[in-house]
Amino acid sequence: NLTYYAHIKENGQVFPSIIRQSQELDPDSVPASFNDEIEDEITGLSSVQDIPIVGCRKHIYKIEGSFDIVGRGGMFHRRISDHAGCLSHESFVRAEGGLFWFGEDGIYHTEGFRCTKVTNHLNDTYKAFKKTLADKTRKIKGAYDPEKRLISWTISRVSKISGSEECDAVWNLDLLWGISEEMTCHVWFGDSFAPSALVMFNNKLYISCEP
């Protein structure tokens, strides 16, 4: 029943490390005192099993506690990874009781208490994909197909010239065989394929592409 806001811009000033909580059942009521400050720049915000998860450039945190309607209590961040990091807010994908995202050195998973890298066998491949995105990591978009038990993200396979940074492939993570440190992955790509967004609609995955 709570709404959270992070990396806030207020009165023209940016607060990249602040997370703020709304009043219960009132997402538009967000007292300035209902906040917590993280030790790192916030790059993503999601939740798993009703636990707010904060992704930062280097670390991952969960939020414990909350403020009641009169401001009693409080939010407290607890670090659950020292190194995972989060490249993109929209890389966060909830699936099958867990949360997945693109981290600093691979794809990660958490159930809310610890973080596990699920691409230990693909370190060089992931590093190459990350390098092609450079500072365009916000172009990573993710979606989950529950029928196929597949998580898909937009990525880049090859370096782009300036002004042509569109993604050109989709990275897929297969959940059929459970969570492990070496999960099955495969990539979709093709000529003139420039995926810019993914969405599930009527149990089908739709991919929007740049013209």
Side-chain angles (χ1 to χ4, degrees):
N1 299 328
L2 301 173
T3 301
Y4 295 87
Y5 301 86
H7 200 125
I8 297 164
K9 184 175 183 180
E10 190 172 51
N11 298 324
Q13 186 174 356
V14 176
F15 301 93
S17 302
I18 293 292
I19 180 169
R20 193 168 291 172
Q21 174 209 306
S22 76
Q23 292 186 341
E24 187 174 1
L25 297 175
D26 191 357
D28 290 333
S29 296
V30 190
S33 60
F34 283 24
N35 73 0
D36 187 19
E37 186 168 3
I38 312 294
E39 298 88 357
D40 194 0
E41 180 181 350
I42 299 172
T43 54
L45 178 65
S46 190
S47 65
V48 59
Q49 307 286 3
D50 294 329
I51 301 170
I53 301 295
V54 183
C56 297
R57 291 201 175 276
K58 295 181 179 179
H59 313 303
I60 303 294
Y61 298 85
K62 67 176 180 177
I63 298 296
E64 298 178 337
S66 61
F67 293 93
D68 67 14
I69 193 168
V70 294
R72 294 173 299 194
M75 292 189 296
F76 309 95
H77 58 278
R78 185 183 299 276
R79 190 182 298 179
I80 58 175
S81 174
D82 291 326
H83 59 271
C86 173
L87 292 188
S88 165
H89 168 72
E90 292 194 65
S91 75
F92 273 131
V93 176
R94 288 191 291 265
E96 302 186 8
L99 182 67
F100 298 80
W101 70 94
F102 270 43
E104 279 296 307
D105 60 349
I107 297 175
Y108 281 83
H109 164 268
T110 186
E111 78 288 61
F113 300 95
R114 64 189 183 95
C115 297
T116 302
K117 188 165 78 168
V118 299
T119 54
N120 274 335
H121 55 317
L122 298 170
N123 289 333
D124 290 342
T125 302
Y126 186 88
K127 184 178 181 180
F129 284 141
K130 180 183 172 184
K131 184 178 180 180
T132 63
L133 285 166
D135 61 346
K136 304 296 181 180
T137 52
R138 292 181 63 183
K139 290 182 175 289
I140 302 171
K141 315 288 184 181
Y144 171 57
D145 185 335
E147 183 174 324
K148 295 181 179 179
R149 300 185 65 188
L150 199 68
I151 302 177
S152 302
W153 289 276
T154 56
I155 58 166
S156 291
R157 293 184 304 121
V158 297
S159 298
K160 310 295 191 304
I161 61 173
S162 178
S164 178
E165 295 90 358
E166 292 83 4
C167 294
D168 60 10
V170 172
W171 181 313
N172 300 284
L173 181 70
D174 198 331
L175 275 60
L176 282 173
W177 291 276
I179 308 302
S180 72
E181 294 182 351
E182 297 186 355
M183 293 181 66
T184 300
C185 301
H186 61 275
V187 176
W188 297 333
F189 62 92
D191 295 337
S192 302
F193 183 54
S196 58
L198 307 171
V199 65
M200 288 297 300
F201 181 71
N202 286 343
N203 297 319
K204 291 184 179 180
L205 177 66
Y206 288 83
I207 303 175
S208 171
C209 293
E210 295 287 344

